[in-house]
Amino acid sequence: MTFQNIEKSIESIQLSIDHILETTKNLPEETVRCNPTEDEWSILQILSHLAEAIPYWLGEVKTVVSMPGSKWGRGLQDPARLAAVTDTERLSVDEVKKQVEELKGKVESVLGKLDQETLSKESPHRNFAKFGNKPVSYIVDHFIDEHVSGHYGQIQRNLSKIK
């Protein structure tokens, strides 16, 4: 995704969250908890992942904004990332949906303060030299905006397999 202004990024993220919440609003709990295949996440796992991941990436944005040049990112085996999609049987579907809804305000609160100069500050990824130095806008566009949108698509694919 090429860089877009921050207001459009915020709007895009919030719209994806709205689509996710609207899509899952009236689903039976057994549908939300159902894994379409052994290797795919349930909708609840996707929601729980978003409730954990988006605050994580907003935190990474805050870190690189406050300390330009500091390393950002995490690997797929990050314990908090894995915990969000493990043992989801104990989670309340309504509570997780509420956490996803609250992401809209968190996105606005963190990203709404960023200006063009701040968005262009670069920092290195902590695990992957292949990324090189990337601007704050890259984190916003790729790890937040595209991330949420991609998981909306994943929910749609799940529903097409479950129905």
Side-chain angles (χ1 to χ4, degrees):
M1 172 182 285
T2 58
F3 173 73
Q4 55 189 1
N5 75 43
I6 198 63
E7 292 82 16
K8 286 186 179 179
S9 293
I10 293 168
E11 183 180 320
S12 176
I13 296 162
Q14 291 176 332
L15 186 60
S16 290
I17 291 169
D18 285 340
H19 287 320
I20 288 168
L21 293 170
E22 184 62 30
T23 299
T24 61
K25 179 171 68 174
N26 295 318
L27 292 176
E29 186 162 333
E30 58 271 13
T31 299
V32 175
R33 292 183 181 278
C34 177
N35 295 79
T37 69
E38 191 176 299
D39 297 327
E40 293 178 281
W41 285 354
S42 68
I43 292 170
L44 182 56
Q45 286 173 299
I46 296 166
L47 296 172
S48 179
H49 168 70
L50 287 171
E52 184 278 329
I54 301 312
Y56 173 83
W57 289 111
L58 291 171
E60 293 293 270
V61 166
K62 290 194 286 189
T63 297
V64 297
V65 165
S66 66
M67 297 180 295
S70 60
K71 293 182 178 183
W72 58 272
R74 66 180 176 179
L76 294 176
Q77 299 305 313
D78 179 80
R81 180 186 177 279
L82 294 175
V85 297
T86 306
D87 298 326
T88 54
E89 300 81 26
R90 63 180 168 69
L91 297 178
S92 158
V93 171
D94 290 338
E95 182 57 35
V96 175
K97 287 181 185 179
K98 180 179 173 212
Q99 292 169 3
V100 172
E101 172 74 33
E102 291 169 352
L103 293 174
K104 293 182 347 183
K106 292 176 181 181
V107 164
E108 177 71 40
S109 174
V110 174
L111 302 184
K113 299 173 185 171
L114 305 180
D115 59 23
Q116 187 65 38
E117 181 182 341
T118 303
L119 287 163
S120 63
K121 292 181 180 178
E122 294 190 354
S123 295
H125 192 283
R126 75 174 33 102
N127 297 322
F128 304 107
K130 68 180 178 182
F131 281 121
N133 285 351
K134 294 291 183 188
V136 173
S137 63
Y138 179 84
I139 301 170
V140 172
D141 292 344
H142 184 69
F143 290 96
I144 301 176
D145 192 3
E146 288 179 12
H147 193 165
V148 176
S149 175
H151 283 302
Y152 172 60
Q154 184 182 15
I155 289 169
Q156 294 294 327
R157 287 187 303 277
N158 278 18
L159 289 172
S160 73
K161 293 175 183 179
I162 293 171
K163 290 183 177 180

